[in-house]
Amino acid sequence: MKKKQVVPTQEEKPLSEAYYWPIMRPAARWLSIKTELIHEAMNHLDQWDGDFVVELATPDVGWIDTVFDLGHDRKVEISMSDVYDPLTRLKDWMERIIKNGLTGSSVCDLDNERSYTVLTYESLSDSNPEPFGLLTIVDNDGENIQKAWGVIRESVLIKTLYNAIMATLSIIPEETDDNHDFCPIWFGINSLQNIDTWVETVECFRSPALEAYIAEGNHLKENVVE
């Protein structure tokens, strides 16, 4: 008779493993959802048209309402928090994608305080005539899960997301109490001293690598190969 396998509780686990126990379960759930999205994408080849829109609202007291729209009624809506520097994480993620190419999977995780978002971009082709991949976005707030997928050209992903971020951050706020939280905190600045400081801060955030990549790819047609 086969012995029943006993799964140890958190208290019975060694300290190192017990420490990660709360993290392992949501990670496993995310991997399960990601697998579902991959299967769905493979079963809907007719929807590989590369629609991708990013909308960032005006920052409001440490939050930016953000919409990722991947077409075909597939979208994820989140509120990014300035606490964990999401804009820098997104910029670093895009730089990793263009640096490494589509040689596998590139992951970006965002802690929004109220929810946790994971974006992945997976290689489907490195040519024909330019790279494209599968973008998946999963957000979990502990009660509800949002999920979306889309087959997006690498250049469309980079240009759309980067330009949306820069368009929001390039709006120069007035020096009033109402606008104090408009943007400086998104760069780790406690107060906005003058317009020059703000402009210099935005310039420091810019990514020469991403902007060179976008400029080089502007002549390419921005849609997914049929």
Side-chain angles (χ1 to χ4, degrees), residues 7 25 70 74 77 84 87 91 155 168 197:
V7 179
R25 286 179 293 178
L70 285 74
R74 294 189 293 265
E77 301 180 19
Y84 298 107
L87 300 183
K91 182 181 73 170
S155 62
T168 297
T197 300

Side-chain angles (χ1 to χ4, degrees), residues 4 17-18 20 23 34 36 49 60 72 81 89 112 133 152 155 174 206 214-215 219:
K4 182 178 179 180
E17 191 174 352
Y20 291 104
I23 303 173
K34 178 185 169 185
E36 293 174 9
D49 52 14
D60 181 20
H72 299 284
S81 167
R89 296 184 71 84
N112 307 310
I152 313 292
S155 62
E174 296 178 359
R206 288 185 181 278
I214 292 170
H219 66 284

Side-chain angles (χ1 to χ4, degrees), residues 33 75-78 137-140 144-148:
I33 295 172
K75 65 173 60 177
V76 172
E77 301 180 19
I78 65 174
I137 306 176
V138 179
D139 179 77
N140 188 344
N144 301 297
I145 294 177
Q146 301 180 75
K147 54 187 178 180

